[in-house]
Amino acid sequence: MKRSRCVLLLAAFLLLAVQGRAQQGATSDAANGIAFFKGTFGEALAKAKQENKPLFVDFYAVWCVPCKKMAKTVFTQEEVGKYFNEHFISLQLDAEKGENVEIARNYKVAAYPTVAFIAPDGKALSVNTGAMDKDELMEAAKIVAGERVSFEELYNKYKADNSDFDVQQQLLLKAPSFLQAQEGMEADKWVTRLQKLYKNYIAAKAPLKLINENDYKIILTLEGDEDKEHKQYVIDLINDHLDDWTKAVGKAPSYYIVEANDLLAEDLAKDGNAKYKEYVEKVKNQYAKAYGVVGLKGITPYEKSRLYFDALYNLYKNKDVDGYVKAMQIYFGKMEGNLRSADYGKAAQNLYMAAGKSLKSKDHEVAIQWAEKALAQEDAVMDRVNYMVMIGDSYRELKNYAKAREFYNQAFAETLRLENMEMPQAMLQGAIKQKLSTLELLEK
């Protein structure tokens, strides 16, 4: 139910870059906390079979900050340790190391932290993505242990009485972890059921009964981008009662409106659809209060949106690279003091994505300038590698092969900082080596 977007060489890894930065391993040493089994996954599963207990697995990555936090603040608690040590065989797995990569893939681990409860026969009982506090982890554990109502039992309760909002809320809160443990046609069946339940639930409780933290969490996790009409309905639902939402949840709903409206405008502008202007107008009219949380200096949210999306539309619709470059220079000037490295990097990426091979030498020179500005302000390794590769690509098109090689080599060297991320590191290095090989052919 979630959106996935890709840009340039590092698309598959940008999500990971956002979620965490390099750090030391995620382990729990507290005497009163969870006693993690010291051994392989296979050995832990064999012990689970021997003792007839489910297996609890903490899939972590050594660079993942939330993983480290859970290991130090949740797994170490006495209540958690006592319960888990009695009911489960527990194991921590570095999901990016050796054979653990394939094990994580088998249980559909796509982000960190992910904790899974696995039956002694190896079947997933529950897979939970994202950091959990003590209460959330204990609740998940007690469901698996049979001390709380299971997802299927909740669903049967819902079928018996589809007017009970409490049961529906519990179902929808548990839906992501339940769905992640399903496979094949069974997963498709449940997705269809839960999408229908979710939309009916939103419609039945709207507008005022939805204004609470749990229902906001449900909207965040289950409202995708595929059904744009329903997403627009939810955005307006929140916006129409934004003061009440702010009192209940804080500023998050305003940011949700801003992000969603910007995304709708961006998609239309890139499609060359002039309807994007309707979403730009909402910035100063219908959604003005929500956009007030952005806190820009020297420029209004409306002016920012109009400048940026007009430039984007012109580039994708008319392939007017010169017009785009001029418009973005004005945009950068107006946005001075509000700009981030990603703004320059995104501007350069749009040049490549919209115009590609049709870019002229002067356009590549502009792209290099923007990417270098992004690089100068960026500390994240993966983003730095991305910008270096972009610069190398432009120098290659300018036939300045020496500079292209310089930036490709810098990008490769930067990947060495990903020493604890073996799989992403290997894939990135392989892609860069391919670019270097292509460069050798061009130089001959």
Side-chain angles (χ1 to χ4, degrees):
M1 297 183 183
K2 282 292 183 184
R3 165 175 56 91
S4 175
R5 294 179 174 272
C6 300
V7 287
L8 301 180
L9 177 66
L10 307 184
F13 310 113
L14 291 181
L15 177 60
L16 300 181
V18 170
Q19 289 178 323
R21 300 296 184 225
Q23 64 164 321
Q24 300 302 311
T27 58
S28 174
D29 300 320
N32 294 327
I34 298 176
F36 286 100
F37 178 79
K38 305 300 182 184
T40 66
F41 177 83
E43 291 167 345
L45 197 59
K47 185 172 178 64
K49 290 179 181 177
Q50 181 183 1
E51 298 189 16
N52 194 30
K53 293 180 178 179
L55 179 64
F56 168 71
V57 182
D58 168 34
F59 289 101
Y60 72 91
V62 294
W63 49 266
C64 168
V65 174
C67 302
K68 185 74 171 180
K69 184 176 180 180
M70 280 191 71
K72 286 187 174 295
T73 65
V74 179
F75 299 158
T76 55
Q77 294 192 38
E78 184 175 356
E79 180 184 352
V80 174
K82 182 177 180 181
Y83 191 85
F84 274 71
N85 295 339
E86 178 181 349
H87 293 86
F88 304 99
I89 302 300
S90 299
L91 178 70
Q92 287 184 304
L93 282 186
D94 180 348
E96 295 183 337
K97 184 176 181 181
E99 66 177 10
N100 298 343
V101 173
E102 184 62 28
I103 295 168
R105 185 179 297 117
N106 289 340
Y107 291 101
K108 298 188 285 188
V109 176
Y112 309 106
T114 291
V115 297
F117 295 89
I118 299 168
D121 63 2
K123 181 181 178 182
L125 299 172
S126 174
V127 182
N128 306 266
T129 299
M132 306 173 77
D133 61 24
K134 183 202 75 172
D135 292 338
E136 291 170 330
L137 183 63
M138 290 291 288
E139 176 70 12
K142 288 179 179 180
I143 289 172
V144 172
E147 297 179 16
R148 293 284 191 275
V149 178
S150 70
F151 190 87
E152 289 91 340
E153 290 172 324
L154 273 175
Y155 189 75
N156 288 334
K157 280 189 174 184
Y158 158 69
K159 293 295 288 183
D161 179 7
N162 60 12
S163 64
D164 190 330
F165 286 143
D166 288 338
V167 169
Q168 293 177 52
Q169 187 182 72
Q170 290 179 60
L171 267 174
L172 294 171
L173 286 169
K174 298 176 190 299
S177 61
F178 175 79
L179 287 173
Q180 197 167 348
Q182 308 307 305
E183 297 180 353
M185 293 181 64
E186 192 69 13
D188 294 339
K189 177 183 72 175
W190 278 106
V191 166
T192 301
R193 286 175 175 174
L194 291 169
Q195 283 179 333
K196 182 178 180 180
L197 169 58
Y198 166 71
K199 290 180 178 179
N200 289 340
Y201 176 80
I202 295 294
K205 291 189 73 174
L208 299 180
K209 291 182 180 178
L210 282 171
I211 304 175
N212 59 80
E213 289 187 1
N214 281 333
D215 283 336
Y216 183 66
K217 183 177 181 180
I218 288 170
I219 289 171
L220 280 182
T221 55
L222 298 183
E223 183 62 52
D225 296 318
E226 296 82 5
D227 188 342
K228 294 188 184 304
E229 184 178 346
H230 192 267
K231 178 130 190 177
Q232 187 66 66
Y233 167 70
V234 170
I235 295 168
D236 290 339
L237 198 64
I238 295 173
N239 187 70
D240 289 345
H241 300 274
L242 188 56
D243 288 342
D244 294 326
W245 277 100
T246 301
K247 289 177 183 177
V249 185
K251 294 182 179 179
S254 290
Y255 286 109
Y256 180 85
I257 292 169
V258 170
E259 181 181 353
N261 190 63
D262 284 353
L263 180 58
L264 290 168
E266 183 173 347
D267 285 346
L268 289 167
K270 286 183 176 181
D271 286 341
N273 188 335
K275 192 176 179 180
Y276 80 92
K277 294 180 181 180
E278 296 178 14
Y279 294 88
V280 172
E281 290 303 307
K282 289 181 179 182
V283 175
K284 69 173 181 179
N285 298 320
Q286 188 175 352
Y287 301 151
K289 183 176 290 186
Y291 273 85
V293 303
V294 177
L296 297 174
K297 299 176 182 178
I299 187 172
T300 66
Y302 171 70
E303 187 178 9
K304 170 186 180 293
S305 297
R306 183 176 54 78
L307 286 170
Y308 179 73
F309 291 118
D310 284 353
L312 206 61
Y313 173 79
N314 188 37
L315 175 65
Y316 279 85
K317 173 70 173 178
N318 303 318
K319 307 302 178 188
D320 181 3
V321 176
D322 289 343
Y324 175 73
V325 170
K326 290 177 182 177
M328 290 307 294
Q329 297 291 15
I330 294 172
Y331 174 79
F332 290 144
K334 294 277 189 178
M335 283 287 290
E336 186 177 3
N338 301 296
L339 291 170
R340 303 163 301 162
S341 62
D343 294 317
Y344 288 107
K346 193 173 182 181
Q349 287 174 341
N350 280 320
L351 275 178
Y352 294 124
M353 293 172 69
K357 292 293 184 181
S358 67
L359 291 177
K360 300 174 183 177
S361 294
K362 61 184 179 66
D363 304 324
H364 281 291
E365 290 170 356
V366 170
I368 289 170
Q369 292 174 11
W370 288 348
E372 285 182 334
K373 286 183 178 180
L375 182 62
Q377 302 175 39
E378 185 58 68
D379 295 324
V381 175
M382 287 184 178
D383 291 333
R384 287 180 60 79
V385 173
N386 194 27
Y387 297 143
M388 288 173 183
V389 169
M390 288 165 59
I391 295 169
D393 286 348
S394 277
Y395 275 123
R396 182 191 64 203
E397 295 303 315
L398 291 170
K399 295 184 171 53
N400 188 338
Y401 300 136
K403 292 293 287 185
R405 182 177 298 280
E406 175 187 334
F407 277 93
Y408 288 152
N409 284 333
Q410 285 184 29
F412 190 90
E414 195 79 16
T415 66
L416 299 177
R417 294 171 59 191
L418 302 173
E419 57 183 348
N420 293 319
M421 298 173 65
E422 297 174 6
M423 182 173 66
Q425 182 188 60
M427 294 180 70
L428 292 176
Q429 289 179 349
I432 295 170
K433 286 178 180 178
Q434 183 63 44
K435 287 181 176 290
L436 287 166
S437 297
T438 301
L439 202 59
E440 289 180 6
L441 295 175
L442 292 171
E443 289 175 318
K444 290 180 179 180

